[in-house]
Structure formats: structure tokens, C-alpha cells
Amino acid sequence: MTAEQKHVVLLSLVGTAPAVLTETVWALAHDSEPVIPNRIIAMTTATGAARLREKLFDGGHWEQLQADLKADGIEIVGKLRFGPISESIRVFPDASRSRELDDIRSAEDNEAVAEFFMEIIRSFVENDSIRLIVSIAGGRKTTSALLYSVMSLLGRAEDQIQHILVDDQWVLQPDFMYPGCKGQFIDRDSGNSLCSKDVNLQLVDVPFVPLRYLFERDLQHSAGSFVALINQVRNRSINVSEDLAIQLGTLAGRLLISGQEIALSANEFLLYLYFARRVCEGRGPIASYGVITEDELSDLAEEFKVSDNFNHWSHNALSNTFDSNEDPRKWLSSIRGKLRKAGFEGYQVDRLVPRAGHIAIELPQESVSIEA
């Protein structure tokens, strides 16, 4: 499914000024590459939710925005699904989940909001048919920072974080919703009337690093707690800078990891050599264990065979029928156990031994050497 075919969901952080949502929708629709969200979800406090319902629905601004978009020739049929209901307006709960937050006043409130963001965003990013646009324009600065942080953890390459910028003189106009909206607007300095059509909105794409591709296993196995996941990823990112080096001596069938020798069976050494060779050649992960063929491994063993030494690992490898779906898993599991027994930490083992989800050695080329 291409990005254009995906269902676009706009998640908008909203404070007490509902205009950040209507401004964002208008700017997306009038962008050089227009986007009309299929569905919109506002995330806000109880106070913000009341303001949204009052301004956009009781005040008729949401209906008018849709009419103005149609008048501009923008096709919105089946798009912009949004209403004054809990499905569309999500209110931050407190830590106990027993009440809605009127405001975010404490560290406990901020943590509850972060967990709330985790739940909502996680529910969408696991669906490949959905693309997220996340607006961080509304609410308190700490709330925007938390939302950005959660998106960095869970967001995918195709998702976006955006912010809307508005001319200063319009920020304090309580009735301004989007360029061309109806209402009376007065310049506070000069007292002159202002025309909403003259407003310049700037939609800013906020870059972020989708960390899910670096810490995929942490995200999959995390219980979902924002704090626990942050600590988990932070620990891995700190430790990932530790130098790890792999040396394979093909003559002796010897594996050294950061100077420490790991004794491998002939089959284990051959398979590890297979993956180490891929690193040295700049090749990425394989799609599945099933792509490893017996012929490919046999050719690799033959390449390093010592013909007059029948005790050499190359003669002993593949002595039984090779099962590409079972044997690689079994041999890699054994290597993983040997590394743990040798004192390597779990995050190190994950980088050193191919695993489900990333069937490759996760070290740069310069950290892997194959020699006689």
C-alpha cells in the first residue's frame, strides 16, 4: 500500500484555543501537496474539550470550515471525520484513570498524559493501512514535548509531526479560526479592522528520528509504560556505544569477540562465518532463515577447507541433512547461550547474534574481520 492510499489520521494536541485544530486542517488542505485527513482526533484537557465543543460545534465553526473548503474546490467527501463525541475528542485522564484532567499541574499528571499518548499512538502505528500526522501546536510546552518524545519512540518513517505558525497579531484574536473565516477582527494596537483572508499560516514539518527501527524488540516486548520504555531505550542507547569487535580465524575455526574466545561447533562456526561475511560485504539482514541454502553453506565451507586436515571444522560441518528452517535457529540459539555464559549482556548479544526480526549481525563493517 502506497502512502497516498493509506488512511490519514490527524492527531491534534489542543489546549484552550481550538483554532490550532482548524488552522492545521486548513493549512493541510491548502498545502502545495494537499492532505485531507480521513479522521481527526483532538487530545486535550476537560477544559479544552468544553472549549472545542462550544467553539467548533455549538458556534458552527467546524461546519463553516467544511463549507469553505468545498467552496475552494477541495474534495472532502468521506474525509474529516470529527465530531463532539469521545471518539473524536480524547480527554487526558489522571494517573488513577478515575477522572479527567482539567489541567496538567504536576509531574504525576505529565506522566499520566505520556501514558495516554502511548496508548493512542500505539493503537494506530500497529496498523499498516494508517498514516499519522501529529500536530504538537496546542497545549502546554511540556505536553508538546511529551508527545514529540512518544512519537520518536513509536512513530514510523511515513508518519509526520507538524506545527502551525500564525502571524502574531492573530494569535490573540479569540474568534479567528482559519484564513477567510467569518468574524470581526480588530488590530489591538491601531484599532483598525483586520481581514482574516490576509492571515499567513505556515505549516512546519518537525523532523524526528523514528527510534522504533533501532529498538524494535524493546518496543515489542515493553509492557507499554512510557517511563519504563524510556529507561529501557536510554540504557540500550548508552550501552550501544560500547566497542564490540568480531574476529574469525578460518584456519583454526576460532571466534574472538572483543578479544574473548568463544568455542563454537563446526556448524555454528560456519553459520556465524556466513553472517560475518555478509557484514564485510556490506549486505543487510536476510528476510528469513529459509533463504540460507545448503549449497551456499557448502560452498563457503569448501572455500576455507584444509584438504589434508580432516579434523578441520570445514570437513565436520554439514555432516547431517541441513534443514534451513530449523538448523540456523538451533545453532544461533546455541551461540547466544555461549555468549551469555561468557558474560556478554543481553543488548550485546542482540547485536552480535542474528535474531528473529533482524537476521543479521548488527555491527559496522570495520568491527568485523575474517582472516586465516
Side-chain angles (χ1 to χ4, degrees), residues 73 124 147 154 209 217 222 266 278 285 296 329 338 350 357:
F124 288 114
L147 182 52
L154 302 181
V209 178
R217 291 192 75 199
S222 169
R278 291 183 65 87
E296 192 174 13
R329 287 187 177 87
K338 289 177 180 181
D350 284 345

Side-chain angles (χ1 to χ4, degrees), residues 117-118 121 125 132 134 136 144-157 159-161 206-216 219 226 229-230 233:
F117 288 153
M118 286 276 290
I121 292 173
V125 297
L132 280 183
V134 176
I136 59 172
S144 296
L146 286 172
L147 182 52
Y148 181 91
S149 181
V150 172
M151 274 297 291
S152 294
L153 287 171
L154 302 181
R156 302 157 301 180
D159 299 324
Q160 291 177 279
I161 300 178
V206 183
F208 74 101
V209 178
L211 296 175
R212 67 181 297 120
Y213 300 111
L214 297 177
F215 305 105
E216 192 168 2
L219 298 177
F226 173 75
L229 184 54
I230 281 285
V233 172

Side-chain angles (χ1 to χ4, degrees), residues 9 26 52 89 101 117 130 132 143 166 169 203 231 245 279 292-293 296 323-325 342 348 366:
V9 175
W26 188 95
L52 267 172
I89 302 175
L101 289 175
F117 288 153
I130 287 176
L132 280 183
T143 313
V166 189
Q169 63 180 338
L203 196 63
N231 289 337
V279 175
I292 306 173
T293 67
E296 192 174 13
D323 184 337
S324 62
N325 290 312
Q348 295 173 315
E366 61 268 21

Side-chain angles (χ1 to χ4, degrees), residues 242-280:
E242 292 182 5
D243 291 332
L244 290 172
I246 293 172
Q247 293 175 285
L248 287 103
T250 59
L251 188 60
R254 190 182 188 207
L255 170 63
L256 291 177
I257 297 182
S258 298
Q260 185 171 351
E261 184 167 1
I262 307 296
L264 300 182
S265 70
N267 285 330
E268 291 166 0
F269 184 84
L270 176 60
L271 184 63
Y272 204 75
L273 177 62
Y274 166 87
F275 284 108
R277 170 71 71 84
R278 291 183 65 87
V279 175
C280 293

